[in-house]
Amino acid sequence: MTTVTVGWMMSDRRVLDSFTDSLAHWPDLREVRVEYLSEHDDEMLARFAEHESAPRIESLSLITLGDSLLHSGLPTFRPPAGRPWRLRHVAVSGSDLAHLLRSGLAPDLRSADVLVRDLDEAAELAACPELARLERLGIGFRCGWNGHSTLMDLFAGNVIEQDNDACEAFFATADLSGLRELTVLGVELVLGRHGLGARGVDAIIASGVLGRLTALTLELLPIGDATITRVVDALDHERVEHLALADLVATDQTTAAFAAGSFPRLRHLDLSRNHLDAPGASRLAAEVDLPVLEHLDLGGRVGAIQGYYQNAVQPIGDAGASAWATSRNAKNLTHLNMSCCGLGVDGFTALMMSDQLAALATLNLSCNPCDGWPAALRDAPVWRTLRTLDLAGTGFEDAEVENLTLVGEAPELRGISLAYNPIGSDAARALARWAPLPQLWELDLHDTVIGDDGLVALAASQAAQSLLELDLEQDCSNPHARHGRQLPTEVIARSSFPSLDAMYLGIVDEYHGGRYYAGFPALVREQLAADPSTRTELLAFLAHLDESELSDTGPEEGGVLRSSRTRADHLAAYYSRVEKAREFIQIVKESTVE
């Protein structure tokens, strides 16, 4: 074991302490991530830092770069003096990073993620000459807060002037001469973003660091087209290999910064969660030279919890998808994300039938509600290379899955997601007969409406011999959720899915994070847990249940379930959001985000 994540159960303070006690028994441990720490955990973290085995760790993450710090502060990490660590990467507060650099405790440190909380901390960190040793830096300025956020309408976001001040102070004096990779991350709001603005980004440009980078990520910053254009102009187009400009309020005007240009080494391009339309996507496909591009992300913003949060469409539409399907820049693509992009049947068809996408391994079409999957796609060229296909939240019903399973040969396919779709037992029976099913490692059926007969057909076929995970969970708001109904015994039989590492069953509350039902009533759970023949994956699932949360009955009277609207209703609502996204694009173009 080389990597461990300690978290999720941090309300039980014994978790990190127990891990610390066991450190000597992890001789090969090289990477540790500790989640959900706060300013109240200093004593527990100090005990970890003092352990004689801790200095051999090479990567230690004690904070998350995307954390807003709204609800908690940061822990203090100060290892004892005189014992240098092997750390090559660390994720800590600005003051802790400054301490590690000045003290000589991390002489091999080459990568850091850091949250800067105020102007003084920015200046303290910038004054460390040891920053010049860093090859990679991820930084988030968390110096102020403006929690204003619309719940239903798109908006540019909130510029935090204290973040701008700290960013200016840091980049004006920090020695980043060795830096090759830089990430600057703001904070996600419901349908916007929060963080430094144009003034802060201009300070980064003025430092001269962008021209030395091979990789740049700017994300969740309310900066807009003009500032993004200055960023692209400041990059060395001959050098940059990885460029992510995600969730920055970019429109088609940003793509003009790329137009008629060449990026001969750019392999990774992420323009997701912005506000591009078809002309912008088409310009990138046709007018920019991207000869080695392998990873392209044009997806919209997908809500963290399906069905509860409204997605924000990046409306490149079928025209934008078709432009990339025929683009010379697509020939080396192995990863393409067009989730939540306003695609329909024509967009799906253009991508699947593309001869240019000859190397494509991962295709994400999720959250594009669509009224069909043509049977003719059984012979689509993309099936020759595709390893993963994501069709979650596409509104697929049984007929679409039946057409999908007409594909007789997909030699590289290992995973497919049909989650959050109203597919039922006919779809499950079609999957049970599907020729590629025996080779799949992942089949995601989370929050579908498959009945007992369909589950039995899928399990009893014993065709899913290679599946590593089985997800049959449903959300409590699903009007067809299996409240109080026991799963068929065929589902948990060892012969049905013999290669499983994990099972996910029952009814969950994705909004509040609880579990209402485990797929079996209490008595059956007890019998399964005591039975020596019960499969290991099911025992692991049962062992991690919180019995105090579970109920063997349905939801409480008055509980709110998702509406059983027709497909036409769902499509109409979706295309209304697409039009609102295009209206917002015009608002952004006519205003100044800065």
Side-chain angles (χ1 to χ4, degrees):
M1 184 72 72
T2 61
T3 301
V4 168
T5 298
V6 182
W8 189 247
M9 297 294 292
M10 291 304 295
S11 58
D12 182 350
R13 300 183 63 83
R14 294 170 297 177
V15 175
L16 182 55
D17 280 339
S18 297
F19 174 70
T20 298
D21 291 338
S22 69
L23 266 178
H25 302 292
W26 302 75
D28 298 316
L29 191 63
R30 295 295 179 266
E31 180 178 359
V32 174
R33 294 188 293 267
V34 188
E35 299 177 340
Y36 309 109
L37 291 174
S38 75
E39 70 273 23
H40 304 295
D41 297 313
D42 290 352
E43 182 178 340
M44 186 166 51
L45 194 56
R47 185 169 177 269
F48 166 79
E50 292 167 359
H51 195 283
E52 61 181 8
S53 296
R56 70 166 180 260
I57 294 169
E58 297 177 5
S59 177
L60 178 64
S61 297
L62 302 177
I63 57 103
T64 301
L65 196 57
D67 194 344
S68 69
L69 302 190
L70 176 61
H71 299 294
S72 67
L74 296 180
T76 300
F77 177 65
R78 300 296 170 93
R83 288 195 307 159
W85 288 47
R86 296 180 186 174
L87 286 173
R88 295 188 63 83
H89 170 80
V90 71
V92 290
S93 70
S95 60
D96 283 350
L97 179 58
H99 174 76
L100 287 172
L101 292 172
R102 289 193 307 262
S103 65
L105 286 172
D108 299 324
L109 194 67
R110 297 295 180 268
S111 170
D113 284 334
V114 59
L115 291 178
V116 174
R117 293 167 286 186
D118 55 44
L119 184 60
D120 290 341
E121 193 169 53
E124 176 191 14
L125 182 59
C128 297
E130 297 85 359
L131 282 172
R133 297 202 305 261
L134 293 183
E135 298 170 0
R136 181 201 162 276
L137 175 65
I139 190 164
F141 294 94
R142 302 292 183 267
C143 307
W145 176 258
N146 177 351
H148 168 73
S149 176
T150 62
L151 295 179
M152 299 299 293
D153 297 322
L154 298 168
F155 79 120
N158 305 319
V159 174
I160 306 301
E161 294 302 338
Q162 299 98 313
D163 289 357
N164 280 335
D165 294 340
C167 186
E168 283 184 328
F170 178 79
F171 280 95
T173 58
D175 184 352
L176 301 174
S177 54
L179 206 64
R180 296 297 175 263
E181 301 180 18
L182 173 65
T183 294
V184 183
L185 189 63
V187 175
E188 182 175 13
L189 300 177
V190 176
L191 286 174
R193 67 284 307 148
H194 161 112
L196 60 89
R199 180 160 62 91
V201 175
D202 283 341
I204 299 172
I205 296 171
S207 74
V209 68
L210 296 186
R212 299 191 294 271
L213 299 179
T214 59
L216 172 66
T217 296
L218 300 180
E219 187 173 351
L220 286 165
L221 304 174
I223 58 178
D225 293 309
T227 304
I228 300 169
T229 297
R230 294 194 291 274
V231 168
V232 175
D233 290 343
L235 294 168
D236 183 344
H237 294 191
E238 300 290 323
R239 180 192 296 262
V240 66
E241 299 173 5
H242 177 118
L243 182 57
L245 303 170
D247 217 324
L248 304 179
V249 206
T251 73
D252 293 346
Q253 293 175 359
T254 281
T255 63
F258 293 84
S262 178
F263 294 79
R265 295 188 179 182
L266 190 64
R267 287 181 165 80
H268 181 117
L269 179 60
D270 181 353
L271 295 172
S272 65
R273 292 168 286 143
N274 283 302
H275 304 283
L276 305 185
D277 209 337
S282 300
R283 180 183 292 128
L284 284 173
E287 299 179 21
V288 186
D289 187 24
L290 301 164
V292 298
L293 190 65
E294 297 174 357
H295 180 115
L296 177 65
D297 191 341
L298 296 175
R301 184 193 276 204
V302 177
I305 305 175
Q306 290 266 14
Y308 289 99
Y309 292 123
Q310 187 179 132
N311 296 335
V313 183
Q314 178 153 257
I316 68 171
D318 291 343
S322 297
W324 273 97
T326 57
S327 171
R328 69 184 186 280
N329 292 325
K331 63 182 180 181
N332 293 314
L333 282 182
T334 60
H335 176 100
L336 177 59
N337 180 13
M338 288 197 176
S339 61
C340 201
C341 280
L343 305 190
V345 175
D346 290 346
F348 284 14
T349 301
L351 294 171
M352 294 297 297
M353 297 300 291
S354 171
D355 289 322
Q356 289 292 94
L357 293 167
L360 194 64
T362 301
L363 178 60
N364 188 341
L365 299 174
S366 64
C367 299
N368 288 297
C370 185
D371 60 355
W373 181 270
L377 294 185
R378 72 172 85 182
D379 300 317
V382 170
W383 289 118
R384 300 177 199 140
T385 58
L386 207 58
R387 290 183 63 85
T388 302
L389 178 61
D390 193 340
L391 295 169
T394 50
F396 274 26
E397 298 180 354
D398 289 358
E400 281 72 40
V401 176
E402 289 170 354
N403 281 349
L404 176 70
T405 56
L406 293 175
V407 176
E409 187 174 355
E412 304 299 324
L413 193 67
R414 295 296 180 270
I416 188 165
S417 176
L418 294 166
Y420 300 103
N421 285 316
I423 60 174
S425 294
D426 286 344
R429 282 187 280 269
L431 288 167
R433 300 188 299 268
W434 194 22
L437 181 59
Q439 70 197 41
L440 294 188
W441 297 342
E442 300 176 34
L443 174 62
D444 190 350
L445 298 174
H446 183 87
D447 206 28
T448 59
V449 296
I450 300 172
D452 284 0
D453 54 341
L455 293 177
V456 169
L458 185 60
S461 72
Q462 299 186 13
Q465 293 292 298
S466 300
L467 279 189
L468 300 178
E469 291 189 2
L470 180 64
D471 190 340
L472 298 177
E473 283 180 341
Q474 294 173 306
D475 184 71
C476 60
S477 66
N478 187 330
H480 300 283
R482 305 169 53 85
H483 292 286
R485 290 158 49 202
Q486 181 172 323
L487 285 162
T489 56
E490 289 87 348
V491 171
I492 60 173
R494 288 180 179 272
S495 59
S496 298
F497 307 102
S499 300
L500 289 184
D501 289 331
M503 305 181 80
Y504 303 94
L505 312 171
I507 312 298
V508 295
D509 182 345
E510 296 185 347
Y511 186 84
H512 295 101
R515 181 179 298 278
Y516 289 163
Y517 182 59
F520 304 96
L523 179 60
V524 176
R525 294 197 300 273
E526 293 174 5
Q527 294 171 344
L528 289 170
D531 188 342
S533 67
T534 298
R535 59 190 308 157
T536 304
E537 311 81 48
L538 182 55
L539 287 174
F541 170 74
L542 295 173
H544 287 84
L545 295 174
D546 184 344
E547 292 288 338
S548 66
E549 292 182 345
L550 299 180
S551 170
D552 293 341
T553 61
E556 294 182 8
E557 187 175 351
V560 178
L561 299 180
R562 284 201 300 265
S563 169
S564 299
R565 295 186 299 174
T566 65
R567 168 182 280 183
D569 292 334
H570 281 291
L571 287 173
Y574 177 67
Y575 285 111
S576 174
R577 290 199 297 274
V578 172
E579 286 307 309
K580 287 182 179 179
R582 291 188 169 129
E583 291 170 3
F584 182 73
I585 288 172
Q586 294 306 312
I587 294 173
V588 171
K589 287 180 177 179
E590 294 166 4
S591 64
T592 302
V593 173
E594 307 176 82

